[in-house]
Structure formats: C-alpha cells, structure tokens
Amino acid sequence: MKRCLVTGGAGFIGSHLTERLLELGHAVVVLDNLSTGGRQNLARVEGHPNFQFQQGSITDPVLLSELVPGIDVIYHMAAAVGVKLVADNPVRTIETNIYPTEVLLRLAVQGRQKFFLASTSEVYGKNPKERWTEEDDLQFGPTTRPRWAYGCSKAIDEFLGLAYHRKFNLGVVVGRFFNVVGPRQVGNYGMVIPRFVDQALDGGPVVVYDDGEQVRCFAHVREVVDSIIRLMELPAAEGQVFNIGSDEPVSIKQLADEVIRRVDPKVTKKFVPYNVAYSADFEDVRRRVPDVSRLEKTIGSKPTTPLGAILDDIIAWKRAARSK
Ligand code: UDP
C-alpha cells in the first residue's frame, strides 16, 4: 500500500485517479480548492477508510509542507485547465501552474516521493506535424495571445520536473494528456464533448466552431488513469515524458455527427466563427494527434476505447445526472 497525495483530486481526471488508487488498495489524500473540481466528483469514495480530503490551494506553500511528509507518491494533477478558462484568466493560469509545482518538487526532494506531473498536449502549441512525438519542437504563438500561456506554463513545469530528476535523481514522470474525456467532465471550461452532449440533449443546435475540420483524438479517462498508475510502477519511466491519449483522429464535425446520431438525429449543427466563440485574437490548434508508441512500449498498452463507446458512456452519465 502506498500513501498518495493527489492534488486536484476533486477534478475530472483527479477524481477518477483517486477512485482507482483506492480500489487498488492505496491510501489517498486529496488536496483541492474546489474551484473547477467539486466534492460531488468524490461521492463514491467519501467515507472510505483510506481516503482523506483536504480543502485548500496548491498555491499555499505552508499547507503543502504540512501535507507532503508521510506521503510516498505525489500525483500533481491540479492546474488551471481548459483553453477558455485560461484565455479568460491568464494571471491565474500562470500563478497556479508554475509556482506550486516548484514548491512540490522541492518538498519531494526532501521526502524522496515519486512524482507524477500532469502536463498537456498544449505544450506542442501549433506544431504542424501530423503526429507529435515527445521529442518534437514546442511551437507557441506570441505572448500577446493569452491562449499560449497554458501550454507555456506547463512546459515550464516539465522543464522543472526534468531538472529535478537530473539534479536530485527524483523519480519524476511527465504525462502529456491528449483530450481526456469521460463521465464527470463539464463543459463550462470549453471542453467540446460535454458541450455537444448537453446541446444535443437540449434539442440543439450543436455549436461547432469554425468549419469543424479541426482534428482531435479523444481518450477515455479510465484508460488514461490506468496508464498513469502503470507508468508510476515502472522505474524505467522516471525522467521521461509520455504522450498519453488515443491516437485515433476524428474531426470536430464528425464528432458532432456522432453525438447527434446517438442522442437525437433531428438535432442540427450550427457553425460559429472562432472570433465569436472566443475572442478576436484566439488561435485554435487545427490538428492534435499523438504518437503514443513510447507509452505502448513502456507499459505494454495504450488507450483504445473507440469514440462511439466513449460517447455512450458520457451520454448515459449525463442522462442519469439530469434525471436526479
Ligand atoms: N469546439 C467546438 N465547440 C465547442 C467547444 C469546442 O467546436 O463548444 C472545438 C474547439 O474549437 C476545438 C475542439 O472543439 O477545435 C476541441 O476543443 P476543447 O476545448 O475540448 O479541447 P482543445 O481545444 O484543448 O483540444
């Protein structure tokens, strides 16, 4: 049994990770300020003898220094996430994403904790390659466009994590998530699937930005969480960066059609330009497809749940949540 600290454990991915760690027999302390996450995400584990919830902010260094001693593994999942939130709150993004990571890494050097650093495919920026491998260049837009603050801030986190690995031999593993989706994800911060499902359940239209030809790969959170835990069990993963996600591309227009077909074929699509959906200076990433061969070679598997099965899961969850 390992004692785990999950920062951001009340969030979408963090809560699934917490559940799985408890199922595997580990003990979990969740630290979350309930800003974008919520206590309801942890409903299934409330009262579990090995579960503890600490409400507080990762920007509070005293709280971090109280929580970290006695922990074996840190899963640093807390961050300002979502392109919309980040575009609306650039100061909060930068301050939440960088300084707390540094404080946690310093504490981990003292306590010798293993450290999972949650990063994002946003770090590749708008690299035009068909498939991104972990050694590819990061290509951000100008600093006058706040969107890039997200990827840039997580790239600094990665530099920090890898530097602590090199200098102090800390067991740091970096995971770059690619469009992780599933039950409990909410659409408030711009995420496309919960938005499309809600819009379709409300009778439409489903609002597709631009021409809908932009491409993403969607991975089920359950498989992402299993990949993270497996990576943390393998000493060979330390000091490395891993793309974590599905490698099956789908256009946003196709995604809208799949949602509509499942919820109600009478629902229509509406196309809205980026400058109306976001702000005038918004830049989207047109194509985002990972090469996940490093992950597959290391843990022996990769996320493969087909989009249809993922959507079925999300639609069933949304319907159940609405009927409560
Ligand atoms: N998108 C959309 N309608 C929405 C929300 C998003 O068409 O209501 C598009 C968005 O422009 C992007 C894609 O869906 O091209 C994925 O958006 P999301 O914010 O989920 O993820 P990210 O942009 O971080 O990949």
Side-chain angles (χ1 to χ4, degrees):
M1 184 186 84
K2 297 261 194 287
R3 289 157 302 174
C4 308
L5 171 66
V6 180
T7 70
F12 160 56
I13 306 177
S15 64
H16 283 276
L17 175 65
T18 298
E19 256 176 37
R20 189 78 188 110
L21 288 168
L22 288 167
E23 266 169 31
L24 291 168
H26 301 300
V28 180
V29 179
V30 161
L31 170 65
D32 203 298
N33 66 352
L34 303 179
S35 59
T36 52
R39 203 71 196 256
Q40 73 284 358
N41 287 339
L42 294 164
R44 285 206 205 156
V45 299
E46 293 290 353
H48 190 295
N50 292 335
F51 170 69
Q52 192 192 321
F53 179 78
Q54 174 68 53
Q55 184 168 347
S57 172
I58 51 162
T59 58
D60 177 349
V62 177
L63 182 57
L64 293 181
S65 64
E66 284 165 3
L67 284 177
V68 170
I71 291 290
D72 302 309
V73 187
I74 297 170
Y75 291 91
H76 184 33
M77 313 296 286
V81 293
V83 165
K84 193 169 175 343
L85 176 77
V86 166
D88 295 346
N89 278 296
V91 173
R92 191 165 136 205
T93 303
I94 297 163
E95 290 183 354
T96 309
N97 288 0
I98 300 178
Y99 177 59
T101 303
E102 191 184 347
V103 173
L104 274 173
L105 285 164
R106 279 204 196 142
L107 289 167
V109 169
Q110 288 162 23
R112 303 310 300 170
Q113 283 86 4
K114 277 205 73 160
F115 199 107
F116 179 80
L117 176 63
S119 185
T120 165
S121 51
E122 275 282 314
V123 298
Y124 292 101
K126 45 187 173 176
N127 187 316
K129 273 186 69 179
E130 289 279 294
R131 267 176 207 275
W132 295 337
T133 73
E134 292 85 349
E135 302 308 316
D136 282 334
D137 289 345
L138 313 186
Q139 294 187 19
F140 299 117
T143 50
T144 44
R145 301 195 168 198
R147 179 206 176 115
W148 304 115
Y150 178 33
C152 233
S153 66
K154 293 309 292 187
I156 295 282
D157 279 359
E158 292 194 15
F159 278 124
L160 273 171
L162 296 173
Y164 273 77
H165 170 74
R166 262 184 230 118
K167 185 153 172 68
F168 303 105
N169 201 25
L170 195 66
V172 177
V173 177
V174 178
R176 291 181 179 161
F177 300 148
F178 281 72
N179 295 83
V180 182
V181 296
R184 290 187 212 144
Q185 187 177 39
V186 290
N188 316 15
Y189 313 110
M191 277 58 172
V192 67
I193 291 189
R195 292 168 79 86
F196 280 5
V197 171
D198 273 332
Q199 289 161 350
L201 287 171
D202 289 339
V206 165
V207 181
V208 176
Y209 299 157
D210 201 56
D211 60 0
E213 296 300 335
Q214 62 272 40
V215 166
R216 297 290 188 274
C217 301
F218 296 96
H220 198 295
V221 64
R222 190 185 48 235
E223 289 183 303
V224 168
V225 158
D226 284 343
S227 302
I228 298 169
I229 294 172
R230 189 77 193 101
L231 282 172
M232 291 297 278
E233 290 166 352
L234 297 170
E238 291 179 14
Q240 291 207 66
V241 177
F242 295 88
N243 287 340
I244 305 180
S246 154
D247 56 359
E248 278 296 319
V250 61
S251 76
I252 297 305
K253 194 161 75 186
Q254 279 171 290
L255 171 71
D257 289 334
E258 286 287 318
V259 171
I260 289 170
R261 201 161 63 77
R262 285 180 159 72
V263 175
D264 177 0
K266 290 191 293 299
V267 164
T268 56
K269 296 193 288 293
K270 181 177 161 192
F271 292 85
V272 169
Y274 286 130
N275 61 0
V276 176
Y278 299 101
S279 57
D281 60 359
F282 184 77
E283 282 184 276
D284 197 15
V285 174
R286 294 297 293 177
R287 184 183 167 87
R288 169 176 289 164
V289 181
D291 179 323
V292 287
S293 45
R294 182 182 286 176
L295 176 74
E296 200 176 6
K297 266 194 218 118
T298 307
I299 66 171
S301 65
K302 62 178 180 179
T304 55
T305 305
L307 181 63
I310 297 177
L311 291 178
D312 288 343
D313 227 15
I314 296 171
I315 294 164
W317 167 74
K318 275 274 183 208
R319 285 205 163 113
R322 282 172 172 233
S323 65
K324 266 186 200 152

PDB file of all heavy atoms in Angstrom, residues 4 10 15 58 79 83-84 106 112 123 127 168 173 178 213 242 321:
ATOM      1  N   CYS A   4      -0.724   8.133  -1.145  1.00  0.00           N
ATOM      2  CA  CYS A   4      -0.653   9.014  -2.313  1.00  0.00           C
ATOM      3  C   CYS A   4      -1.269  10.371  -2.006  1.00  0.00           C
ATOM      4  O   CYS A   4      -2.308  10.455  -1.345  1.00  0.00           O
ATOM      5  CB  CYS A   4      -1.427   8.406  -3.489  1.00  0.00           C
ATOM      6  SG  CYS A   4      -0.968   6.710  -3.860  1.00  0.00           S
ATOM      7  N   ALA A  10     -10.267  16.458  -6.751  1.00  0.00           N
ATOM      8  CA  ALA A  10     -11.718  16.599  -6.918  1.00  0.00           C
ATOM      9  C   ALA A  10     -12.074  16.996  -8.349  1.00  0.00           C
ATOM     10  O   ALA A  10     -13.234  17.210  -8.668  1.00  0.00           O
ATOM     11  CB  ALA A  10     -12.274  17.632  -5.937  1.00  0.00           C
ATOM     12  N   SER A  15     -10.290  12.865  -9.850  1.00  0.00           N
ATOM     13  CA  SER A  15     -11.245  12.057  -9.080  1.00  0.00           C
ATOM     14  C   SER A  15     -11.265  10.610  -9.594  1.00  0.00           C
ATOM     15  O   SER A  15     -11.378   9.667  -8.807  1.00  0.00           O
ATOM     16  CB  SER A  15     -12.650  12.674  -9.122  1.00  0.00           C
ATOM     17  OG  SER A  15     -13.167  12.668 -10.431  1.00  0.00           O
ATOM     18  N   ILE A  58      -3.209  24.747  -3.825  1.00  0.00           N
ATOM     19  CA  ILE A  58      -1.810  24.371  -4.084  1.00  0.00           C
ATOM     20  C   ILE A  58      -0.903  25.599  -4.091  1.00  0.00           C
ATOM     21  O   ILE A  58       0.308  25.467  -4.098  1.00  0.00           O
ATOM     22  CB  ILE A  58      -1.639  23.594  -5.411  1.00  0.00           C
ATOM     23  CG1 ILE A  58      -2.308  24.341  -6.571  1.00  0.00           C
ATOM     24  CG2 ILE A  58      -2.117  22.171  -5.296  1.00  0.00           C
ATOM     25  CD1 ILE A  58      -1.821  23.899  -7.918  1.00  0.00           C
ATOM     26  N   ALA A  79      -4.247  22.062 -11.727  1.00  0.00           N
ATOM     27  CA  ALA A  79      -3.772  23.087 -12.668  1.00  0.00           C
ATOM     28  C   ALA A  79      -4.958  23.925 -13.102  1.00  0.00           C
ATOM     29  O   ALA A  79      -6.105  23.527 -12.924  1.00  0.00           O
ATOM     30  CB  ALA A  79      -3.129  22.425 -13.885  1.00  0.00           C
ATOM     31  N   VAL A  83      -8.912  25.700 -22.334  1.00  0.00           N
ATOM     32  CA  VAL A  83      -8.490  26.847 -23.124  1.00  0.00           C
ATOM     33  C   VAL A  83      -9.336  28.082 -22.816  1.00  0.00           C
ATOM     34  O   VAL A  83      -8.831  29.200 -22.748  1.00  0.00           O
ATOM     35  CB  VAL A  83      -8.576  26.462 -24.617  1.00  0.00           C
ATOM     36  CG1 VAL A  83      -8.517  27.678 -25.503  1.00  0.00           C
ATOM     37  CG2 VAL A  83      -7.459  25.504 -24.955  1.00  0.00           C
ATOM     38  N   LYS A  84     -10.622  27.887 -22.544  1.00  0.00           N
ATOM     39  CA  LYS A  84     -11.497  29.022 -22.308  1.00  0.00           C
ATOM     40  C   LYS A  84     -11.158  29.686 -20.969  1.00  0.00           C
ATOM     41  O   LYS A  84     -10.970  30.901 -20.904  1.00  0.00           O
ATOM     42  CB  LYS A  84     -12.950  28.551 -22.309  1.00  0.00           C
ATOM     43  CG  LYS A  84     -13.934  29.686 -22.380  1.00  0.00           C
ATOM     44  CD  LYS A  84     -15.326  29.151 -22.653  1.00  0.00           C
ATOM     45  CE  LYS A  84     -16.397  30.201 -22.630  1.00  0.00           C
ATOM     46  NZ  LYS A  84     -16.077  31.460 -21.991  1.00  0.00           N
ATOM     47  N   ARG A 106      10.381  20.700  -4.654  1.00  0.00           N
ATOM     48  CA  ARG A 106      11.373  20.913  -3.578  1.00  0.00           C
ATOM     49  C   ARG A 106      11.064  20.044  -2.377  1.00  0.00           C
ATOM     50  O   ARG A 106      11.954  19.440  -1.781  1.00  0.00           O
ATOM     51  CB  ARG A 106      11.344  22.369  -3.123  1.00  0.00           C
ATOM     52  CG  ARG A 106      12.116  23.239  -4.041  1.00  0.00           C
ATOM     53  CD  ARG A 106      12.573  24.497  -3.312  1.00  0.00           C
ATOM     54  NE  ARG A 106      12.977  25.443  -4.328  1.00  0.00           N
ATOM     55  CZ  ARG A 106      12.775  26.733  -4.280  1.00  0.00           C
ATOM     56  NH1 ARG A 106      12.191  27.272  -3.232  1.00  0.00           N
ATOM     57  NH2 ARG A 106      13.170  27.515  -5.246  1.00  0.00           N
ATOM     58  N   ARG A 112      11.748  12.422  -0.701  1.00  0.00           N
ATOM     59  CA  ARG A 112      12.003  11.355  -1.672  1.00  0.00           C
ATOM     60  C   ARG A 112      10.739  10.709  -2.214  1.00  0.00           C
ATOM     61  O   ARG A 112      10.685   9.500  -2.458  1.00  0.00           O
ATOM     62  CB  ARG A 112      12.934  10.257  -1.093  1.00  0.00           C
ATOM     63  CG  ARG A 112      14.275  10.737  -0.608  1.00  0.00           C
ATOM     64  CD  ARG A 112      15.039  11.605  -1.561  1.00  0.00           C
ATOM     65  NE  ARG A 112      15.380  11.005  -2.863  1.00  0.00           N
ATOM     66  CZ  ARG A 112      15.878  11.707  -3.895  1.00  0.00           C
ATOM     67  NH1 ARG A 112      16.077  13.011  -3.809  1.00  0.00           N
ATOM     68  NH2 ARG A 112      16.172  11.108  -5.020  1.00  0.00           N
ATOM     69  N   VAL A 123       1.385  21.753 -24.871  1.00  0.00           N
ATOM     70  CA  VAL A 123       2.803  22.145 -24.928  1.00  0.00           C
ATOM     71  C   VAL A 123       3.355  22.084 -26.355  1.00  0.00           C
ATOM     72  O   VAL A 123       4.340  22.743 -26.664  1.00  0.00           O
ATOM     73  CB  VAL A 123       3.729  21.310 -23.997  1.00  0.00           C
ATOM     74  CG1 VAL A 123       3.353  21.471 -22.542  1.00  0.00           C
ATOM     75  CG2 VAL A 123       3.760  19.852 -24.407  1.00  0.00           C
ATOM     76  N   ASN A 127       2.504  23.148 -33.554  1.00  0.00           N
ATOM     77  CA  ASN A 127       3.416  22.362 -34.385  1.00  0.00           C
ATOM     78  C   ASN A 127       2.615  21.701 -35.527  1.00  0.00           C
ATOM     79  O   ASN A 127       1.628  21.030 -35.262  1.00  0.00           O
ATOM     80  CB  ASN A 127       4.077  21.285 -33.494  1.00  0.00           C
ATOM     81  CG  ASN A 127       5.170  20.535 -34.217  1.00  0.00           C
ATOM     82  OD1 ASN A 127       5.002  20.144 -35.360  1.00  0.00           O
ATOM     83  ND2 ASN A 127       6.290  20.339 -33.546  1.00  0.00           N
ATOM     84  N   PHE A 168      18.579  15.915  -8.798  1.00  0.00           N
ATOM     85  CA  PHE A 168      18.413  15.246  -7.493  1.00  0.00           C
ATOM     86  C   PHE A 168      17.992  13.783  -7.623  1.00  0.00           C
ATOM     87  O   PHE A 168      17.657  13.146  -6.637  1.00  0.00           O
ATOM     88  CB  PHE A 168      17.365  15.994  -6.654  1.00  0.00           C
ATOM     89  CG  PHE A 168      17.699  17.438  -6.431  1.00  0.00           C
ATOM     90  CD1 PHE A 168      17.029  18.444  -7.110  1.00  0.00           C
ATOM     91  CD2 PHE A 168      18.698  17.800  -5.529  1.00  0.00           C
ATOM     92  CE1 PHE A 168      17.335  19.785  -6.904  1.00  0.00           C
ATOM     93  CE2 PHE A 168      19.015  19.139  -5.309  1.00  0.00           C
ATOM     94  CZ  PHE A 168      18.333  20.133  -6.007  1.00  0.00           C
ATOM     95  N   VAL A 173       7.880  11.507 -13.372  1.00  0.00           N
ATOM     96  CA  VAL A 173       7.329  11.034 -14.650  1.00  0.00           C
ATOM     97  C   VAL A 173       6.388  12.121 -15.169  1.00  0.00           C
ATOM     98  O   VAL A 173       5.539  12.612 -14.423  1.00  0.00           O
ATOM     99  CB  VAL A 173       6.532   9.719 -14.456  1.00  0.00           C
ATOM    100  CG1 VAL A 173       5.898   9.271 -15.780  1.00  0.00           C
ATOM    101  CG2 VAL A 173       7.416   8.621 -13.876  1.00  0.00           C
ATOM    102  N   PHE A 178      -3.816  14.090 -23.894  1.00  0.00           N
ATOM    103  CA  PHE A 178      -4.463  14.498 -25.154  1.00  0.00           C
ATOM    104  C   PHE A 178      -5.968  14.318 -25.024  1.00  0.00           C
ATOM    105  O   PHE A 178      -6.455  13.195 -25.024  1.00  0.00           O
ATOM    106  CB  PHE A 178      -3.960  13.633 -26.320  1.00  0.00           C
ATOM    107  CG  PHE A 178      -2.619  14.043 -26.836  1.00  0.00           C
ATOM    108  CD1 PHE A 178      -1.461  13.806 -26.112  1.00  0.00           C
ATOM    109  CD2 PHE A 178      -2.508  14.682 -28.062  1.00  0.00           C
ATOM    110  CE1 PHE A 178      -0.233  14.194 -26.589  1.00  0.00           C
ATOM    111  CE2 PHE A 178      -1.275  15.078 -28.557  1.00  0.00           C
ATOM    112  CZ  PHE A 178      -0.136  14.832 -27.823  1.00  0.00           C
ATOM    113  N   GLU A 213     -13.426  21.200 -39.306  1.00  0.00           N
ATOM    114  CA  GLU A 213     -12.420  20.286 -39.879  1.00  0.00           C
ATOM    115  C   GLU A 213     -11.212  20.118 -38.953  1.00  0.00           C
ATOM    116  O   GLU A 213     -10.288  19.367 -39.248  1.00  0.00           O
ATOM    117  CB  GLU A 213     -11.945  20.782 -41.263  1.00  0.00           C
ATOM    118  CG  GLU A 213     -13.025  20.808 -42.332  1.00  0.00           C
ATOM    119  CD  GLU A 213     -13.651  19.438 -42.616  1.00  0.00           C
ATOM    120  OE1 GLU A 213     -13.000  18.403 -42.375  1.00  0.00           O
ATOM    121  OE2 GLU A 213     -14.816  19.424 -43.056  1.00  0.00           O
ATOM    122  N   PHE A 242       5.812  11.321 -21.505  1.00  0.00           N
ATOM    123  CA  PHE A 242       4.962  10.405 -22.271  1.00  0.00           C
ATOM    124  C   PHE A 242       3.731  11.115 -22.803  1.00  0.00           C
ATOM    125  O   PHE A 242       3.014  11.760 -22.026  1.00  0.00           O
ATOM    126  CB  PHE A 242       4.481   9.244 -21.376  1.00  0.00           C
ATOM    127  CG  PHE A 242       5.593   8.358 -20.908  1.00  0.00           C
ATOM    128  CD1 PHE A 242       6.281   8.655 -19.731  1.00  0.00           C
ATOM    129  CD2 PHE A 242       5.970   7.255 -21.646  1.00  0.00           C
ATOM    130  CE1 PHE A 242       7.325   7.856 -19.294  1.00  0.00           C
ATOM    131  CE2 PHE A 242       7.016   6.439 -21.220  1.00  0.00           C
ATOM    132  CZ  PHE A 242       7.695   6.746 -20.039  1.00  0.00           C
ATOM    133  N   ALA A 321     -27.474  12.012 -14.671  1.00  0.00           N
ATOM    134  CA  ALA A 321     -27.279  13.215 -13.843  1.00  0.00           C
ATOM    135  C   ALA A 321     -28.476  14.163 -13.995  1.00  0.00           C
ATOM    136  O   ALA A 321     -28.898  14.810 -13.036  1.00  0.00           O
ATOM    137  CB  ALA A 321     -25.985  13.915 -14.253  1.00  0.00           C
TER     138      ALA A 321
END
